[in-house]
Amino acid sequence: HSLLEKYTHGTMLSPQFGGGTANVEFEVLTGNSMRFLPQGSVPYNQYVNKGIDSLASILKRQGYETTAINPFHSWFYNSKTVYENFGFSKYISQEFFEPDYEGPYLADRAVAKYIIESSEKTSGSDFIFANTMQNHFHYYPGKFKENTIQVEGVEGESKGLFETYAQGLLGADDMLKRLVTHYEASGEPTMIVFFGDHLPVLGDDYQAYKDSGYLKENDPDFIEKMHRVPVLVWNNYLPEEKQEPLNMSPSFLGPYSLRAAQRPG
């Protein structure tokens, strides 16, 4: 929240809710939209079977080292093949991580560590695309060693779900702090585009969202409330300028980022 006061931020309208990360990735990396594919499609499994232009291939042609980082299995969503087709030179999947877990999944701090290490190993420019698993579904109490945040205003199952989700958010917040702190001090011109891919499933039939009063029955703002995800664009080298509130689909985030970084493509 402190970074929002100074840096460009806003929301994206995600094509997904509760899962389907790969479809949001597909939009961000390729600039293509799920809007034009059959409902229920997963392009990573069905359509990405040859080279497709992406942020990775565009920047690779400009001399960037391109790395994908994913703290889950390389077979999931066919990601090993997909990232190769997208033009990534290197892919660090769960199989290559040291076992630093927070709950059932690899910790967000471990992802931050590999991002920093990957950028330090090269002398030139890097494009690194990373996603995280620590705060992935499920959110029942007991997922983490302890929940340190008390949630008020809801009771029962919803209270437990919110407290576990909030505990996971601490990991994401800590990861962002680690990255910003490192690259503030590094001296290497760096841009961090930090975004959510979809909102979490919190109970059957959106129960926790309803119990909190956020979502009404037959809510006319359902799409706006349940498909909006946050995005922040931080950098350590561009002059401070008037913030532009972001309000876009994930498929526009790639072109926006290239323009912000003053790169062609």
Side-chain angles (χ1 to χ4, degrees):
H1 286 128
S2 64
L3 294 177
L4 299 185
E5 295 170 9
K6 190 175 175 184
Y7 296 97
T8 292
H9 64 279
T11 61
M12 299 189 296
L13 194 62
S14 174
Q16 302 295 134
F17 170 82
T21 296
N23 288 353
V24 185
E25 275 192 30
F26 172 74
E27 290 206 356
V28 170
L29 288 171
T30 69
N32 292 307
S33 173
M34 293 299 299
R35 184 93 178 166
F36 304 113
L37 294 171
Q39 195 166 359
S41 295
V42 181
Y44 277 22
N45 291 340
Q46 295 164 279
Y47 305 121
V48 186
N49 50 19
K50 61 183 180 184
I52 293 178
D53 229 11
S54 77
L55 286 177
S57 56
I58 288 168
L59 290 169
K60 192 176 184 179
R61 291 195 292 269
Q62 296 176 37
Y64 279 64
E65 187 71 31
T66 54
T67 303
I69 300 174
N70 185 346
F72 205 57
H73 303 288
S74 61
W75 51 258
F76 194 60
Y77 280 131
N78 199 27
S79 56
K80 187 171 185 284
T81 301
V82 168
Y83 288 149
E84 194 174 335
N85 283 328
F86 280 173
F88 284 99
S89 301
K90 185 166 68 174
Y91 177 27
I92 303 170
S93 59
Q94 176 174 315
E95 293 85 347
F96 299 96
F97 270 70
E98 294 169 6
D100 181 8
Y101 285 83
E102 196 67 53
Y105 299 114
L106 286 162
D108 287 0
R109 61 178 173 265
V111 178
K113 174 176 174 279
Y114 282 97
I115 291 171
I116 290 167
E117 283 183 0
S118 295
S119 67
E120 286 187 332
K121 280 178 181 173
T122 61
S123 56
S125 301
D126 290 274
F127 171 68
I128 299 170
F129 181 80
N131 58 35
T132 61
M133 285 295 295
Q134 178 174 324
N135 209 20
H136 194 276
F137 182 86
H138 65 86
Y139 303 101
Y140 297 110
K143 175 181 179 179
F144 301 115
K145 196 182 299 180
E146 67 171 324
N147 288 348
T148 60
I149 297 175
Q150 292 282 318
V151 170
E152 297 175 359
V154 291
E155 296 302 327
E157 184 179 283
S158 294
K159 178 179 170 70
L161 292 170
F162 276 129
E163 288 181 348
T164 302
Y165 181 53
Q167 190 68 32
L169 283 174
L170 280 181
D173 201 48
D174 172 69
M175 173 188 176
L176 179 58
K177 183 180 180 180
R178 287 169 187 256
L179 292 172
V180 167
T181 301
H182 173 81
Y183 289 109
E184 272 179 336
S186 75
E188 183 173 15
T190 303
M191 178 176 290
I192 298 173
V193 182
F194 194 74
F195 63 94
D197 54 351
H198 56 72
L199 268 63
V201 172
L202 296 173
D204 294 336
D205 193 28
Y206 312 103
Q207 193 58 53
Y209 293 100
K210 291 175 179 175
D211 287 350
S212 68
Y214 176 73
L215 189 68
K216 311 286 189 286
E217 203 65 50
N218 300 315
D219 200 315
D221 296 321
F222 178 85
I223 295 293
E224 284 291 315
K225 288 181 176 179
M226 304 312 293
H227 285 264
R228 284 266 166 215
V229 294
V231 57
L232 163 76
V233 183
W234 176 89
N235 75 85
N236 65 358
Y237 69 100
L238 294 173
E240 283 189 38
E241 55 184 41
K242 187 182 173 192
Q243 290 187 21
E244 47 183 327
L246 301 184
N247 175 15
M248 61 176 73
S249 291
S251 59
F252 287 90
L253 187 59
Y256 172 83
S257 301
L258 287 170
R259 190 190 73 183
Q262 301 170 2
R263 306 306 306 169

